[in-house]
PDB file of all heavy atoms in Angstrom:
ATOM      1  N   VAL A   1     -13.672   6.102  10.399  1.00 98.00           N
ATOM      2  CA  VAL A   1     -12.693   7.020  10.983  1.00 98.00           C
ATOM      3  C   VAL A   1     -13.282   7.716  12.203  1.00 98.00           C
ATOM      4  O   VAL A   1     -12.598   7.919  13.212  1.00 98.00           O
ATOM      5  CB  VAL A   1     -12.188   8.048   9.954  1.00 98.00           C
ATOM      6  CG1 VAL A   1     -11.183   8.990  10.602  1.00 98.00           C
ATOM      7  CG2 VAL A   1     -11.541   7.364   8.765  1.00 98.00           C
ATOM      8  N   ALA A   2     -14.544   8.090  12.123  1.00 98.00           N
ATOM      9  CA  ALA A   2     -15.186   8.737  13.275  1.00 98.00           C
ATOM     10  C   ALA A   2     -15.167   7.814  14.492  1.00 98.00           C
ATOM     11  O   ALA A   2     -14.853   8.246  15.610  1.00 98.00           O
ATOM     12  CB  ALA A   2     -16.618   9.134  12.928  1.00 98.00           C
ATOM     13  N   ARG A   3     -15.483   6.558  14.282  1.00 98.00           N
ATOM     14  CA  ARG A   3     -15.463   5.609  15.389  1.00 98.00           C
ATOM     15  C   ARG A   3     -14.045   5.348  15.893  1.00 98.00           C
ATOM     16  O   ARG A   3     -13.821   5.181  17.102  1.00 98.00           O
ATOM     17  CB  ARG A   3     -16.121   4.300  14.956  1.00 98.00           C
ATOM     18  CG  ARG A   3     -17.633   4.421  14.750  1.00 98.00           C
ATOM     19  CD  ARG A   3     -18.230   3.149  14.192  1.00 98.00           C
ATOM     20  NE  ARG A   3     -19.683   3.241  14.094  1.00 98.00           N
ATOM     21  CZ  ARG A   3     -20.448   2.345  13.451  1.00 98.00           C
ATOM     22  NH1 ARG A   3     -19.874   1.294  12.860  1.00 98.00           N
ATOM     23  NH2 ARG A   3     -21.754   2.501  13.414  1.00 98.00           N
ATOM     24  N   ALA A   4     -13.083   5.325  14.985  1.00 98.00           N
ATOM     25  CA  ALA A   4     -11.686   5.142  15.384  1.00 98.00           C
ATOM     26  C   ALA A   4     -11.204   6.321  16.219  1.00 98.00           C
ATOM     27  O   ALA A   4     -10.477   6.150  17.203  1.00 98.00           O
ATOM     28  CB  ALA A   4     -10.804   4.968  14.148  1.00 98.00           C
ATOM     29  N   ALA A   5     -11.595   7.533  15.827  1.00 98.00           N
ATOM     30  CA  ALA A   5     -11.226   8.723  16.600  1.00 98.00           C
ATOM     31  C   ALA A   5     -11.872   8.685  17.980  1.00 98.00           C
ATOM     32  O   ALA A   5     -11.237   9.044  18.982  1.00 98.00           O
ATOM     33  CB  ALA A   5     -11.651   9.983  15.852  1.00 98.00           C
ATOM     34  N   GLU A   6     -13.118   8.247  18.048  1.00 98.00           N
ATOM     35  CA  GLU A   6     -13.790   8.153  19.343  1.00 98.00           C
ATOM     36  C   GLU A   6     -13.078   7.151  20.245  1.00 98.00           C
ATOM     37  O   GLU A   6     -12.896   7.398  21.444  1.00 98.00           O
ATOM     38  CB  GLU A   6     -15.244   7.756  19.151  1.00 98.00           C
ATOM     39  CG  GLU A   6     -16.046   7.742  20.437  1.00 98.00           C
ATOM     40  CD  GLU A   6     -17.513   7.477  20.224  1.00 98.00           C
ATOM     41  OE1 GLU A   6     -17.886   6.959  19.133  1.00 98.00           O
ATOM     42  OE2 GLU A   6     -18.307   7.777  21.137  1.00 98.00           O
ATOM     43  N   ALA A   7     -12.639   6.029  19.672  1.00 98.00           N
ATOM     44  CA  ALA A   7     -11.906   5.034  20.449  1.00 98.00           C
ATOM     45  C   ALA A   7     -10.579   5.588  20.957  1.00 98.00           C
ATOM     46  O   ALA A   7     -10.090   5.183  22.018  1.00 98.00           O
ATOM     47  CB  ALA A   7     -11.659   3.783  19.601  1.00 98.00           C
ATOM     48  N   ALA A   8     -10.010   6.533  20.190  1.00 98.00           N
ATOM     49  CA  ALA A   8      -8.751   7.173  20.592  1.00 98.00           C
ATOM     50  C   ALA A   8      -8.983   8.392  21.468  1.00 98.00           C
ATOM     51  O   ALA A   8      -8.027   9.083  21.842  1.00 98.00           O
ATOM     52  CB  ALA A   8      -7.950   7.577  19.352  1.00 98.00           C
ATOM     53  N   ASP A   9     -10.239   8.678  21.799  1.00 98.00           N
ATOM     54  CA  ASP A   9     -10.612   9.792  22.682  1.00 98.00           C
ATOM     55  C   ASP A   9     -10.188  11.131  22.100  1.00 98.00           C
ATOM     56  O   ASP A   9      -9.637  11.982  22.801  1.00 98.00           O
ATOM     57  CB  ASP A   9     -10.009   9.597  24.078  1.00 98.00           C
ATOM     58  CG  ASP A   9     -10.638  10.533  25.113  1.00 98.00           C
ATOM     59  OD1 ASP A   9     -11.810  10.893  24.946  1.00 98.00           O
ATOM     60  OD2 ASP A   9      -9.940  10.909  26.079  1.00 98.00           O
ATOM     61  N   ARG A  10     -10.462  11.313  20.817  1.00 98.00           N
ATOM     62  CA  ARG A  10     -10.170  12.578  20.158  1.00 98.00           C
ATOM     63  C   ARG A  10     -11.379  13.044  19.356  1.00 98.00           C
ATOM     64  O   ARG A  10     -12.069  12.241  18.744  1.00 98.00           O
ATOM     65  CB  ARG A  10      -8.959  12.453  19.217  1.00 98.00           C
ATOM     66  CG  ARG A  10      -7.626  12.293  19.925  1.00 98.00           C
ATOM     67  CD  ARG A  10      -7.271  13.534  20.731  1.00 98.00           C
ATOM     68  NE  ARG A  10      -5.978  13.438  21.374  1.00 98.00           N
ATOM     69  CZ  ARG A  10      -5.765  12.888  22.568  1.00 98.00           C
ATOM     70  NH1 ARG A  10      -6.775  12.360  23.236  1.00 98.00           N
ATOM     71  NH2 ARG A  10      -4.560  12.863  23.099  1.00 98.00           N
ATOM     72  N   PRO A  11     -11.635  14.356  19.344  1.00 98.00           N
ATOM     73  CA  PRO A  11     -12.665  14.869  18.435  1.00 98.00           C
ATOM     74  C   PRO A  11     -12.223  14.647  16.998  1.00 98.00           C
ATOM     75  O   PRO A  11     -11.025  14.486  16.720  1.00 98.00           O
ATOM     76  CB  PRO A  11     -12.736  16.356  18.788  1.00 98.00           C
ATOM     77  CG  PRO A  11     -11.423  16.677  19.408  1.00 98.00           C
ATOM     78  CD  PRO A  11     -10.961  15.429  20.095  1.00 98.00           C
ATOM     79  N   VAL A  12     -13.179  14.641  16.086  1.00 98.00           N
ATOM     80  CA  VAL A  12     -12.851  14.354  14.694  1.00 98.00           C
ATOM     81  C   VAL A  12     -13.633  15.272  13.761  1.00 98.00           C
ATOM     82  O   VAL A  12     -14.777  15.626  14.028  1.00 98.00           O
ATOM     83  CB  VAL A  12     -13.143  12.868  14.348  1.00 98.00           C
ATOM     84  CG1 VAL A  12     -14.635  12.560  14.458  1.00 98.00           C
ATOM     85  CG2 VAL A  12     -12.613  12.487  12.974  1.00 98.00           C
ATOM     86  N   ALA A  13     -12.966  15.680  12.680  1.00 98.00           N
ATOM     87  CA  ALA A  13     -13.618  16.371  11.566  1.00 98.00           C
ATOM     88  C   ALA A  13     -13.642  15.415  10.387  1.00 98.00           C
ATOM     89  O   ALA A  13     -12.642  14.753  10.103  1.00 98.00           O
ATOM     90  CB  ALA A  13     -12.862  17.639  11.199  1.00 98.00           C
ATOM     91  N   ILE A  14     -14.772  15.335   9.719  1.00 98.00           N
ATOM     92  CA  ILE A  14     -14.925  14.469   8.547  1.00 98.00           C
ATOM     93  C   ILE A  14     -15.041  15.347   7.316  1.00 98.00           C
ATOM     94  O   ILE A  14     -15.958  16.169   7.213  1.00 98.00           O
ATOM     95  CB  ILE A  14     -16.184  13.584   8.656  1.00 98.00           C
ATOM     96  CG1 ILE A  14     -16.133  12.708   9.908  1.00 98.00           C
ATOM     97  CG2 ILE A  14     -16.354  12.755   7.395  1.00 98.00           C
ATOM     98  CD1 ILE A  14     -15.032  11.667   9.895  1.00 98.00           C
ATOM     99  N   SER A  15     -14.112  15.175   6.378  1.00 98.00           N
ATOM    100  CA  SER A  15     -14.115  15.985   5.161  1.00 98.00           C
ATOM    101  C   SER A  15     -14.371  15.095   3.953  1.00 98.00           C
ATOM    102  O   SER A  15     -13.602  14.177   3.664  1.00 98.00           O
ATOM    103  CB  SER A  15     -12.781  16.719   5.005  1.00 98.00           C
ATOM    104  OG  SER A  15     -12.849  17.645   3.939  1.00 98.00           O
ATOM    105  N   PHE A  16     -15.462  15.372   3.254  1.00 97.00           N
ATOM    106  CA  PHE A  16     -15.813  14.606   2.065  1.00 97.00           C
ATOM    107  C   PHE A  16     -15.263  15.272   0.815  1.00 97.00           C
ATOM    108  O   PHE A  16     -15.204  16.501   0.715  1.00 97.00           O
ATOM    109  CB  PHE A  16     -17.331  14.494   1.929  1.00 97.00           C
ATOM    110  CG  PHE A  16     -17.971  13.551   2.901  1.00 97.00           C
ATOM    111  CD1 PHE A  16     -18.836  14.026   3.881  1.00 97.00           C
ATOM    112  CD2 PHE A  16     -17.730  12.184   2.829  1.00 97.00           C
ATOM    113  CE1 PHE A  16     -19.445  13.159   4.769  1.00 97.00           C
ATOM    114  CE2 PHE A  16     -18.325  11.310   3.719  1.00 97.00           C
ATOM    115  CZ  PHE A  16     -19.180  11.791   4.694  1.00 97.00           C
ATOM    116  N   THR A  17     -14.884  14.454  -0.155  1.00 96.00           N
ATOM    117  CA  THR A  17     -14.591  14.953  -1.490  1.00 96.00           C
ATOM    118  C   THR A  17     -15.806  14.671  -2.363  1.00 96.00           C
ATOM    119  O   THR A  17     -16.510  13.683  -2.159  1.00 96.00           O
ATOM    120  CB  THR A  17     -13.344  14.282  -2.087  1.00 96.00           C
ATOM    121  OG1 THR A  17     -13.034  14.870  -3.348  1.00 96.00           O
ATOM    122  CG2 THR A  17     -13.528  12.789  -2.277  1.00 96.00           C
ATOM    123  N   VAL A  18     -16.081  15.567  -3.294  1.00 95.00           N
ATOM    124  CA  VAL A  18     -17.232  15.395  -4.180  1.00 95.00           C
ATOM    125  C   VAL A  18     -16.780  15.551  -5.632  1.00 95.00           C
ATOM    126  O   VAL A  18     -15.734  16.126  -5.928  1.00 95.00           O
ATOM    127  CB  VAL A  18     -18.359  16.399  -3.864  1.00 95.00           C
ATOM    128  CG1 VAL A  18     -18.910  16.158  -2.466  1.00 95.00           C
ATOM    129  CG2 VAL A  18     -17.888  17.840  -4.025  1.00 95.00           C
ATOM    130  N   GLU A  19     -17.605  15.026  -6.518  1.00 95.00           N
ATOM    131  CA  GLU A  19     -17.344  15.134  -7.950  1.00 95.00           C
ATOM    132  C   GLU A  19     -17.913  16.458  -8.483  1.00 95.00           C
ATOM    133  O   GLU A  19     -18.446  17.269  -7.721  1.00 95.00           O
ATOM    134  CB  GLU A  19     -17.970  13.935  -8.674  1.00 95.00           C
ATOM    135  CG  GLU A  19     -17.451  12.583  -8.210  1.00 95.00           C
ATOM    136  CD  GLU A  19     -15.989  12.349  -8.558  1.00 95.00           C
ATOM    137  OE1 GLU A  19     -15.439  13.096  -9.417  1.00 95.00           O
ATOM    138  OE2 GLU A  19     -15.382  11.437  -7.975  1.00 95.00           O
ATOM    139  N   THR A  20     -17.846  16.652  -9.788  1.00 94.00           N
ATOM    140  CA  THR A  20     -18.296  17.917 -10.380  1.00 94.00           C
ATOM    141  C   THR A  20     -19.797  18.131 -10.216  1.00 94.00           C
ATOM    142  O   THR A  20     -20.276  19.263 -10.340  1.00 94.00           O
ATOM    143  CB  THR A  20     -17.933  17.982 -11.869  1.00 94.00           C
ATOM    144  OG1 THR A  20     -18.477  16.836 -12.536  1.00 94.00           O
ATOM    145  CG2 THR A  20     -16.422  18.006 -12.061  1.00 94.00           C
ATOM    146  N   ASP A  21     -20.536  17.043  -9.909  1.00 94.00           N
ATOM    147  CA  ASP A  21     -21.978  17.176  -9.689  1.00 94.00           C
ATOM    148  C   ASP A  21     -22.322  17.390  -8.218  1.00 94.00           C
ATOM    149  O   ASP A  21     -23.501  17.421  -7.851  1.00 94.00           O
ATOM    150  CB  ASP A  21     -22.723  15.945 -10.215  1.00 94.00           C
ATOM    151  CG  ASP A  21     -22.315  14.644  -9.520  1.00 94.00           C
ATOM    152  OD1 ASP A  21     -21.447  14.685  -8.622  1.00 94.00           O
ATOM    153  OD2 ASP A  21     -22.854  13.581  -9.891  1.00 94.00           O
ATOM    154  N   GLY A  22     -21.314  17.566  -7.386  1.00 93.00           N
ATOM    155  CA  GLY A  22     -21.554  17.817  -5.974  1.00 93.00           C
ATOM    156  C   GLY A  22     -21.848  16.581  -5.155  1.00 93.00           C
ATOM    157  O   GLY A  22     -22.110  16.676  -3.947  1.00 93.00           O
ATOM    158  N   ARG A  23     -21.772  15.402  -5.767  1.00 95.00           N
ATOM    159  CA  ARG A  23     -22.022  14.148  -5.056  1.00 95.00           C
ATOM    160  C   ARG A  23     -20.723  13.422  -4.755  1.00 95.00           C
ATOM    161  O   ARG A  23     -19.717  13.612  -5.442  1.00 95.00           O
ATOM    162  CB  ARG A  23     -22.936  13.233  -5.892  1.00 95.00           C
ATOM    163  CG  ARG A  23     -24.351  13.764  -6.016  1.00 95.00           C
ATOM    164  CD  ARG A  23     -25.213  12.867  -6.891  1.00 95.00           C
ATOM    165  NE  ARG A  23     -26.612  13.313  -6.860  1.00 95.00           N
ATOM    166  CZ  ARG A  23     -27.514  12.873  -6.007  1.00 95.00           C
ATOM    167  NH1 ARG A  23     -27.192  11.920  -5.127  1.00 95.00           N
ATOM    168  NH2 ARG A  23     -28.751  13.343  -6.027  1.00 95.00           N
ATOM    169  N   LEU A  24     -20.741  12.586  -3.730  1.00 96.00           N
ATOM    170  CA  LEU A  24     -19.586  11.770  -3.416  1.00 96.00           C
ATOM    171  C   LEU A  24     -19.277  10.842  -4.592  1.00 96.00           C
ATOM    172  O   LEU A  24     -20.167  10.537  -5.412  1.00 96.00           O
ATOM    173  CB  LEU A  24     -19.847  10.926  -2.167  1.00 96.00           C
ATOM    174  CG  LEU A  24     -19.527  11.555  -0.803  1.00 96.00           C
ATOM    175  CD1 LEU A  24     -20.370  12.797  -0.543  1.00 96.00           C
ATOM    176  CD2 LEU A  24     -19.714  10.529   0.308  1.00 96.00           C
ATOM    177  N   PRO A  25     -18.049  10.364  -4.720  1.00 94.00           N
ATOM    178  CA  PRO A  25     -17.731   9.424  -5.800  1.00 94.00           C
ATOM    179  C   PRO A  25     -18.611   8.180  -5.807  1.00 94.00           C
ATOM    180  O   PRO A  25     -18.791   7.548  -6.852  1.00 94.00           O
ATOM    181  CB  PRO A  25     -16.266   9.069  -5.528  1.00 94.00           C
ATOM    182  CG  PRO A  25     -15.715  10.293  -4.873  1.00 94.00           C
ATOM    183  CD  PRO A  25     -16.837  10.783  -3.991  1.00 94.00           C
ATOM    184  N   THR A  26     -19.172   7.831  -4.646  1.00 94.00           N
ATOM    185  CA  THR A  26     -20.083   6.681  -4.576  1.00 94.00           C
ATOM    186  C   THR A  26     -21.525   7.062  -4.877  1.00 94.00           C
ATOM    187  O   THR A  26     -22.413   6.217  -4.816  1.00 94.00           O
ATOM    188  CB  THR A  26     -19.999   6.028  -3.188  1.00 94.00           C
ATOM    189  OG1 THR A  26     -19.969   7.046  -2.178  1.00 94.00           O
ATOM    190  CG2 THR A  26     -18.754   5.168  -3.071  1.00 94.00           C
ATOM    191  N   GLY A  27     -21.775   8.332  -5.175  1.00 95.00           N
ATOM    192  CA  GLY A  27     -23.085   8.748  -5.655  1.00 95.00           C
ATOM    193  C   GLY A  27     -23.982   9.468  -4.676  1.00 95.00           C
ATOM    194  O   GLY A  27     -24.986  10.058  -5.078  1.00 95.00           O
ATOM    195  N   GLU A  28     -23.659   9.415  -3.372  1.00 96.00           N
ATOM    196  CA  GLU A  28     -24.529  10.065  -2.388  1.00 96.00           C
ATOM    197  C   GLU A  28     -24.456  11.584  -2.491  1.00 96.00           C
ATOM    198  O   GLU A  28     -23.395  12.143  -2.756  1.00 96.00           O
ATOM    199  CB  GLU A  28     -24.149   9.660  -0.961  1.00 96.00           C
ATOM    200  CG  GLU A  28     -24.335   8.207  -0.620  1.00 96.00           C
ATOM    201  CD  GLU A  28     -23.091   7.389  -0.884  1.00 96.00           C
ATOM    202  OE1 GLU A  28     -22.177   7.903  -1.579  1.00 96.00           O
ATOM    203  OE2 GLU A  28     -23.023   6.250  -0.406  1.00 96.00           O
ATOM    204  N   ALA A  29     -25.565  12.236  -2.226  1.00 96.00           N
ATOM    205  CA  ALA A  29     -25.568  13.686  -2.079  1.00 96.00           C
ATOM    206  C   ALA A  29     -24.824  14.043  -0.799  1.00 96.00           C
ATOM    207  O   ALA A  29     -24.824  13.267   0.172  1.00 96.00           O
ATOM    208  CB  ALA A  29     -26.999  14.208  -2.016  1.00 96.00           C
ATOM    209  N   LEU A  30     -24.190  15.194  -0.794  1.00 97.00           N
ATOM    210  CA  LEU A  30     -23.439  15.618   0.385  1.00 97.00           C
ATOM    211  C   LEU A  30     -24.329  15.661   1.623  1.00 97.00           C
ATOM    212  O   LEU A  30     -23.933  15.224   2.711  1.00 97.00           O
ATOM    213  CB  LEU A  30     -22.804  16.991   0.121  1.00 97.00           C
ATOM    214  CG  LEU A  30     -21.895  17.563   1.203  1.00 97.00           C
ATOM    215  CD1 LEU A  30     -20.725  16.636   1.492  1.00 97.00           C
ATOM    216  CD2 LEU A  30     -21.399  18.944   0.784  1.00 97.00           C
ATOM    217  N   ALA A  31     -25.533  16.163   1.466  1.00 97.00           N
ATOM    218  CA  ALA A  31     -26.467  16.224   2.591  1.00 97.00           C
ATOM    219  C   ALA A  31     -26.736  14.840   3.158  1.00 97.00           C
ATOM    220  O   ALA A  31     -26.737  14.633   4.382  1.00 97.00           O
ATOM    221  CB  ALA A  31     -27.772  16.873   2.151  1.00 97.00           C
ATOM    222  N   ASP A  32     -26.956  13.861   2.289  1.00 97.00           N
ATOM    223  CA  ASP A  32     -27.240  12.499   2.742  1.00 97.00           C
ATOM    224  C   ASP A  32     -26.033  11.883   3.434  1.00 97.00           C
ATOM    225  O   ASP A  32     -26.183  11.130   4.406  1.00 97.00           O
ATOM    226  CB  ASP A  32     -27.668  11.627   1.558  1.00 97.00           C
ATOM    227  CG  ASP A  32     -29.010  12.041   0.977  1.00 97.00           C
ATOM    228  OD1 ASP A  32     -29.793  12.687   1.698  1.00 97.00           O
ATOM    229  OD2 ASP A  32     -29.265  11.736  -0.206  1.00 97.00           O
ATOM    230  N   ALA A  33     -24.834  12.193   2.945  1.00 98.00           N
ATOM    231  CA  ALA A  33     -23.621  11.651   3.556  1.00 98.00           C
ATOM    232  C   ALA A  33     -23.436  12.192   4.972  1.00 98.00           C
ATOM    233  O   ALA A  33     -23.113  11.433   5.903  1.00 98.00           O
ATOM    234  CB  ALA A  33     -22.405  11.991   2.701  1.00 98.00           C
ATOM    235  N   VAL A  34     -23.623  13.485   5.144  1.00 98.00           N
ATOM    236  CA  VAL A  34     -23.498  14.095   6.473  1.00 98.00           C
ATOM    237  C   VAL A  34     -24.511  13.474   7.426  1.00 98.00           C
ATOM    238  O   VAL A  34     -24.188  13.070   8.551  1.00 98.00           O
ATOM    239  CB  VAL A  34     -23.666  15.620   6.391  1.00 98.00           C
ATOM    240  CG1 VAL A  34     -23.796  16.228   7.789  1.00 98.00           C
ATOM    241  CG2 VAL A  34     -22.495  16.244   5.646  1.00 98.00           C
ATOM    242  N   ARG A  35     -25.750  13.375   6.979  1.00 98.00           N
ATOM    243  CA  ARG A  35     -26.801  12.821   7.836  1.00 98.00           C
ATOM    244  C   ARG A  35     -26.505  11.363   8.189  1.00 98.00           C
ATOM    245  O   ARG A  35     -26.751  10.928   9.328  1.00 98.00           O
ATOM    246  CB  ARG A  35     -28.148  12.930   7.128  1.00 98.00           C
ATOM    247  CG  ARG A  35     -28.658  14.361   6.942  1.00 98.00           C
ATOM    248  CD  ARG A  35     -30.041  14.344   6.316  1.00 98.00           C
ATOM    249  NE  ARG A  35     -30.516  15.691   5.985  1.00 98.00           N
ATOM    250  CZ  ARG A  35     -30.823  16.096   4.755  1.00 98.00           C
ATOM    251  NH1 ARG A  35     -30.695  15.259   3.734  1.00 98.00           N
ATOM    252  NH2 ARG A  35     -31.260  17.329   4.534  1.00 98.00           N
ATOM    253  N   ALA A  36     -25.995  10.596   7.234  1.00 98.00           N
ATOM    254  CA  ALA A  36     -25.733   9.176   7.477  1.00 98.00           C
ATOM    255  C   ALA A  36     -24.633   8.983   8.507  1.00 98.00           C
ATOM    256  O   ALA A  36     -24.731   8.112   9.383  1.00 98.00           O
ATOM    257  CB  ALA A  36     -25.369   8.479   6.162  1.00 98.00           C
ATOM    258  N   VAL A  37     -23.570   9.762   8.408  1.00 98.00           N
ATOM    259  CA  VAL A  37     -22.491   9.648   9.388  1.00 98.00           C
ATOM    260  C   VAL A  37     -22.981  10.045  10.774  1.00 98.00           C
ATOM    261  O   VAL A  37     -22.702   9.377  11.778  1.00 98.00           O
ATOM    262  CB  VAL A  37     -21.272  10.495   8.975  1.00 98.00           C
ATOM    263  CG1 VAL A  37     -20.211  10.495  10.070  1.00 98.00           C
ATOM    264  CG2 VAL A  37     -20.673   9.973   7.672  1.00 98.00           C
ATOM    265  N   ASP A  38     -23.724  11.128  10.849  1.00 98.00           N
ATOM    266  CA  ASP A  38     -24.269  11.553  12.141  1.00 98.00           C
ATOM    267  C   ASP A  38     -25.177  10.481  12.738  1.00 98.00           C
ATOM    268  O   ASP A  38     -25.117  10.184  13.939  1.00 98.00           O
ATOM    269  CB  ASP A  38     -25.029  12.869  11.991  1.00 98.00           C
ATOM    270  CG  ASP A  38     -24.156  14.095  12.241  1.00 98.00           C
ATOM    271  OD1 ASP A  38     -23.031  13.930  12.754  1.00 98.00           O
ATOM    272  OD2 ASP A  38     -24.606  15.209  11.930  1.00 98.00           O
ATOM    273  N   ALA A  39     -26.010   9.875  11.897  1.00 98.00           N
ATOM    274  CA  ALA A  39     -26.935   8.863  12.392  1.00 98.00           C
ATOM    275  C   ALA A  39     -26.196   7.630  12.913  1.00 98.00           C
ATOM    276  O   ALA A  39     -26.585   7.041  13.926  1.00 98.00           O
ATOM    277  CB  ALA A  39     -27.906   8.461  11.285  1.00 98.00           C
ATOM    278  N   ALA A  40     -25.113   7.259  12.241  1.00 98.00           N
ATOM    279  CA  ALA A  40     -24.376   6.047  12.616  1.00 98.00           C
ATOM    280  C   ALA A  40     -23.445   6.256  13.797  1.00 98.00           C
ATOM    281  O   ALA A  40     -23.011   5.284  14.427  1.00 98.00           O
ATOM    282  CB  ALA A  40     -23.577   5.545  11.412  1.00 98.00           C
ATOM    283  N   THR A  41     -23.113   7.506  14.103  1.00 98.00           N
ATOM    284  CA  THR A  41     -22.120   7.781  15.157  1.00 98.00           C
ATOM    285  C   THR A  41     -22.684   8.611  16.298  1.00 98.00           C
ATOM    286  O   THR A  41     -21.925   9.101  17.135  1.00 98.00           O
ATOM    287  CB  THR A  41     -20.910   8.531  14.570  1.00 98.00           C
ATOM    288  OG1 THR A  41     -21.344   9.813  14.074  1.00 98.00           O
ATOM    289  CG2 THR A  41     -20.250   7.740  13.451  1.00 98.00           C
ATOM    290  N   ASP A  42     -23.999   8.764  16.330  1.00 98.00           N
ATOM    291  CA  ASP A  42     -24.639   9.598  17.347  1.00 98.00           C
ATOM    292  C   ASP A  42     -24.055  11.009  17.322  1.00 98.00           C
ATOM    293  O   ASP A  42     -23.754  11.603  18.363  1.00 98.00           O
ATOM    294  CB  ASP A  42     -24.493   8.972  18.741  1.00 98.00           C
ATOM    295  CG  ASP A  42     -25.437   9.584  19.770  1.00 98.00           C
ATOM    296  OD1 ASP A  42     -26.473  10.148  19.360  1.00 98.00           O
ATOM    297  OD2 ASP A  42     -25.137   9.513  20.982  1.00 98.00           O
TER     298      ASP A  42
END
């Protein structure tokens, strides 16, 4: 979505949902998810 927004020339906010343990449904910690998106999208 971040890359799609960039292609559309719009700023983007990324909002994650987390489970009761504070991790994404796929298991990543919120901190790791934020860092991974930033790393992949400059």
Side-chain angles (χ1 to χ4, degrees):
V1 179
R3 290 174 176 170
E6 185 175 18
D9 194 29
R10 289 295 182 273
V12 64
I14 301 294
S15 188
F16 286 114
T17 184
V18 296
E19 301 293 344
T20 55
D21 61 0
R23 291 178 173 269
L24 272 62
T26 43
E28 295 91 346
L30 184 59
D32 293 338
V34 169
R35 292 184 186 119
V37 174
D38 268 348
T41 63
D42 195 23

